[in-house]
Amino acid sequence: MHAPSKHEAATPADQPGLIAPDTSGMNFYRADPALTDLMRIHLADELFRHIEPHLDRLGALAGGHLDECARLADRHGPVLHQRDRFGRDAQYIEYHPAYRELEKAAFGEFGIHAMSLRKGILGWPHTYPVVAKHAFTFLFNQAEFGLGCPINVTDGCAKLLANFGDAALQAKYLDGLTQTDMAKLTQGGQFMTEKEGGSDVGKLTTTAVQEGDHWRLTGEKWFCSNADAKVVMLLARPQGAEGGTRGVGLFLMPRFLDDGSPNHYRIVRLKDKLGTRSMASGEIKLEGAIAYAVGRLDRGFVQMAEMVNSSRLSNGVKSTALMRRAYHDALTVARGRVVFGQRIIDMPLARRQLMKIMLATEQALSMSFITADSLDRAEAGSQDAAALLRILTPTLKFRATRDARKVCGDAMEMRGGIGYIEEFVNPRLLRDAHLGSIWEGTSNIVALDALKRAVGRHGADAALSADLHARLDDSTDVPQAWRDRLRGLTDRALGFAREVAARTDNEAESRRATSLLYHVASAVALAWEGGRIHAMRGDARRLLLSRLVIDHRVAMGDPFQLTENATQRTIASHLLGDRAVGMAEVGELLLAA
């Protein structure tokens, strides 16, 4: 061995603290007390106690084995093969073993895709409410976002079949779509997008011609995620049907026919995507593919739209998961790296950046589970909840997915130059985050859905107003002055939304109006949650997030006025710390200048 040089001695490779730590080995459930609090608020105690050990196990896997699998699956994406080794035309997609490991966890061990429809998952004798299912979605997607789509569309296919399919189709396909036995599982897909019609579904050109008890489909589908799914739901126009969305029917198309031969469609190529690289998205050419009608042919678009709304909720939850993972990473860096003689977390600008990351993440978490709870109540028969869901879903999808892009970028910056290197999770989070605001409708489309349709056409603003006022009425421990301020802002945000919805010359304001609805609704939700959590365990800090939403995302301040003061610094210290803070101390901070 040679003697180390002076330079080598000064910077040994194993010197601790040179590179900031990451979240390897972190249990994402245990690191997230807010998730536990929200589950205790929204779920019956018996169900919460049953699922908590499973959430704890998934949290550990997501920070360990599944995270490593996700890194490998992202790096070694799927490959489309046109022939087998004997020269036969046998199309198949080859996946890295790490992707198969992720599938085993999501579909097999935890059964996330089947929780809403199949009893007995994880030993629970009933089906799970949406709130519980999306707690698992939230944790799993902190490790792997790409597979979130196959999980969601398999769930969606099963729901479409259960809600609208005839008994024969259900008997043939429903069990496979909800299986947790990997040998019996048939994953689902939803092929909607065409060159002619992305958001404008009424322009689609895929045609359906009846042939006995089935139909033959011809056309092209342009963006098909989970491209080799064994069961696919898609839209096509029956021969002779009227134009537009009213002439579109919903069909189930199997990948393989009853005799085991491939159906008459092929994957033309796989998409070379910015993110979600682990999962195969492709272009599909239908060449007389056999399919079966699902429900009434003149209701196909309406039926599929129900699943799009469910997918938008899932999209919001998954974007929230990306933000939470980004926050975990940023906080780990800030606590674990020392520069200029100080920990990063003790530096004012870094604390401010962490607070921005935290605030958007906590808003999205609250709005995700408020929306999931409204879906549970709507499915139980509440018309008020159904109206509330109609406005919450596009509002969540619009803002949470857009916030995820910035949050993941800011977390990358917190790590610095090596955050840009693919060995760390940050680039994958940022790449994946950009999908959320495009998938299931771009930002413009969902903003118009929230304002022009939910408010203007369906009057869903009344349901949102009633819900937010009821939550404030229920928050009797929260200082009256803060509740009064939130009431006033609720009324103003809803009034602005109605004004934008009613006027044809104000469509360009739809995005701003939707953002204001989201911010005010989240401020109310955070206040309501803060009161409930304080009653449970004496910690009212979530109320401080309600104030920060109003201060930084609603109030129009003077850009030349200093905003950092003792109150803001105290709020940041409480939120970045671990100590529970009582209502009296929080109440003073809510109203302080």
Side-chain angles (χ1 to χ4, degrees):
M1 295 177 62
H2 73 281
S5 69
K6 182 179 179 181
H7 175 74
E8 289 173 323
T11 56
D14 60 351
Q15 182 176 330
L18 293 180
I19 303 298
D22 65 11
T23 60
S24 297
M26 180 181 287
N27 184 316
F28 292 149
Y29 178 70
R30 295 184 186 180
D32 194 350
L35 177 60
T36 303
D37 286 334
L38 296 191
M39 290 302 96
R40 291 181 66 194
I41 288 173
H42 288 292
L43 296 177
D45 185 61
E46 181 183 11
L47 176 55
F48 169 73
R49 285 187 284 106
H50 177 83
I51 67 170
E52 187 174 35
H54 301 291
L55 292 172
D56 185 67
R57 172 164 168 73
L58 180 55
L61 287 169
H65 177 62
L66 295 182
D67 189 43
E68 178 60 19
C69 288
R71 185 185 68 81
L72 290 170
D74 178 75
R75 180 165 294 185
H76 305 283
V79 178
L80 174 63
H81 296 278
Q82 300 292 350
R83 287 186 165 189
D84 67 14
R85 63 184 178 276
F86 298 106
R88 293 173 297 206
D89 290 329
Q91 247 191 5
Y92 68 97
I93 297 176
E94 177 186 0
Y95 295 91
H96 191 275
Y99 185 81
R100 296 304 191 192
E101 282 288 297
L102 292 164
E103 287 181 317
K104 288 178 185 177
F107 291 101
E109 181 174 356
F110 292 98
I112 300 171
H113 69 297
M115 285 181 161
S116 295
L117 284 169
R118 195 177 191 103
K119 296 179 180 180
I121 302 293
L122 297 175
W124 184 247
H126 313 289
T127 58
Y128 287 92
V130 179
V131 167
K133 176 182 72 175
H134 280 320
F136 289 91
T137 301
F138 176 67
L139 286 172
F140 183 86
N141 279 268
Q142 289 181 50
E144 163 60 9
F145 189 80
L147 189 63
C149 175
I151 296 167
N152 181 65
V153 293
T154 301
D155 182 15
C157 280
K159 284 183 179 178
L160 284 169
L161 184 57
N163 290 341
F164 305 113
D166 60 35
L169 276 182
Q170 290 180 8
K172 191 172 184 178
Y173 295 107
L174 189 55
D175 181 71
L177 286 167
T178 61
Q179 272 287 346
T180 56
D181 182 339
M182 296 302 291
K184 298 178 181 178
L185 171 69
T186 53
Q187 289 187 37
Q190 294 174 27
F191 298 173
M192 290 182 62
T193 305
E194 299 185 6
K195 297 174 189 175
E196 298 83 1
S199 299
D200 191 357
V201 178
K203 287 186 177 179
L204 68 79
T205 60
T206 298
T207 58
V209 177
Q210 191 163 14
E211 188 180 272
D213 66 345
H214 60 261
W215 296 72
R216 293 275 188 175
L217 306 186
T218 303
E220 289 192 35
K221 295 295 181 179
W222 180 238
F223 206 108
C224 305
S225 293
N226 212 19
D228 58 345
K230 298 301 186 294
V231 177
V232 173
M233 292 287 184
L234 72 171
L235 298 175
R237 194 178 307 281
Q239 190 176 43
E242 64 180 294
T245 55
R246 292 187 179 182
V248 172
L250 177 64
F251 296 88
L252 181 152
M253 181 178 72
R255 178 80 170 126
F256 296 99
L257 302 177
D258 292 342
D259 63 2
S261 63
N263 202 348
H264 307 287
Y265 70 91
R266 58 192 175 90
I267 306 168
V268 178
R269 65 169 179 168
L270 298 185
K271 299 288 194 182
D272 186 10
K273 298 174 292 181
L274 172 68
T276 63
R277 293 176 178 174
S278 62
M279 182 266 298
S281 300
E283 298 166 20
I284 306 293
K285 190 165 187 178
L286 307 167
E287 302 168 319
I290 291 176
Y292 304 92
V294 178
R296 287 172 44 185
L297 288 176
D298 62 346
R299 298 280 294 174
F301 175 76
V302 174
Q303 292 166 178
M304 183 64 93
E306 290 188 20
M307 285 305 100
V308 168
N309 272 333
S310 181
S311 293
R312 285 177 173 177
L313 166 57
S314 178
N315 195 340
V317 174
K318 289 194 281 282
S319 292
T320 306
L322 293 177
M323 286 191 269
R324 177 62 91 211
R325 176 64 187 277
Y327 176 70
H328 283 322
D329 189 77
L331 192 61
T332 300
V333 170
R335 287 174 171 170
R337 182 157 165 77
V338 175
V339 294
F340 305 113
Q342 282 186 290
R343 291 190 311 161
I344 290 176
I345 197 170
D346 296 324
M347 296 178 168
L349 276 176
R351 290 171 74 83
R352 190 174 183 88
Q353 189 167 341
L354 280 171
M355 292 304 300
K356 288 181 177 180
I357 293 170
M358 175 197 286
L359 183 60
T361 303
E362 298 297 347
Q363 282 184 274
L365 187 66
S366 294
M367 291 296 285
S368 289
F369 287 109
I370 291 290
T371 307
D373 179 69
S374 69
L375 177 54
D376 280 324
R377 291 186 287 116
E379 291 185 341
S382 169
Q383 293 300 310
D384 290 338
L388 179 63
L389 183 69
R390 184 67 186 82
I391 190 169
L392 283 180
T393 302
T395 302
L396 169 70
K397 200 277 186 187
F398 171 77
R399 190 67 260 163
T401 59
R402 294 182 63 78
D403 284 347
R405 297 177 348 204
K406 185 162 193 317
V407 163
C408 292
D410 283 353
M412 173 185 285
E413 188 178 18
M414 184 69 73
R415 185 169 284 282
I418 59 170
Y420 196 68
I421 305 303
E422 292 282 354
E423 292 173 320
F424 289 88
V425 74
N426 308 88
R428 176 157 53 92
L429 295 178
L430 186 59
R431 288 189 278 105
D432 288 347
H434 279 267
L435 178 62
S437 56
I438 298 173
W439 187 15
E440 306 291 9
T442 62
S443 298
N444 288 347
I445 293 297
V446 290
L448 289 173
D449 191 23
L451 268 292
K452 297 297 183 180
R453 297 183 184 93
V455 175
R457 187 180 303 171
H458 299 288
D461 51 291
L464 181 58
S465 176
D467 181 85
L468 297 180
H469 279 282
R471 291 184 193 278
L472 292 171
D473 290 341
D474 189 44
S475 304
T476 53
D477 289 344
V478 175
Q480 183 69 46
W482 186 249
R483 286 190 289 150
D484 288 345
R485 186 174 184 195
L486 291 178
R487 285 185 202 281
L489 290 170
T490 295
D491 293 341
R492 290 185 67 189
L494 286 161
F496 183 59
R498 294 183 189 109
E499 180 182 0
V500 172
R503 294 179 54 172
T504 58
D505 61 342
N506 269 339
E507 183 174 294
E509 296 279 13
S510 296
R511 288 163 63 124
R512 186 161 69 95
T514 303
S515 287
L516 282 169
L517 286 178
Y518 178 86
H519 294 321
V520 171
S522 66
V524 172
L526 288 161
W528 175 76
E529 292 161 356
R532 300 289 295 273
I533 295 167
H534 183 261
M536 289 191 300
R537 59 180 185 87
D539 189 357
R541 283 182 296 167
R542 206 158 180 82
L543 266 164
L544 298 176
L545 291 165
S546 176
R547 168 171 175 162
L548 292 183
V549 172
I550 302 306
D551 285 353
H552 297 286
R553 309 203 76 173
V554 176
M556 300 294 288
D558 182 348
F560 300 103
Q561 182 180 3
L562 295 175
T563 59
E564 185 73 7
N565 57 29
T567 297
Q568 294 289 324
R569 288 191 289 272
T570 301
I571 289 173
S573 294
H574 287 323
L575 291 173
L576 290 171
D578 298 320
R579 180 179 69 86
V581 182
M583 185 63 75
E585 188 174 354
V586 165
E588 291 180 4
L589 289 168
L590 284 177
L591 304 175

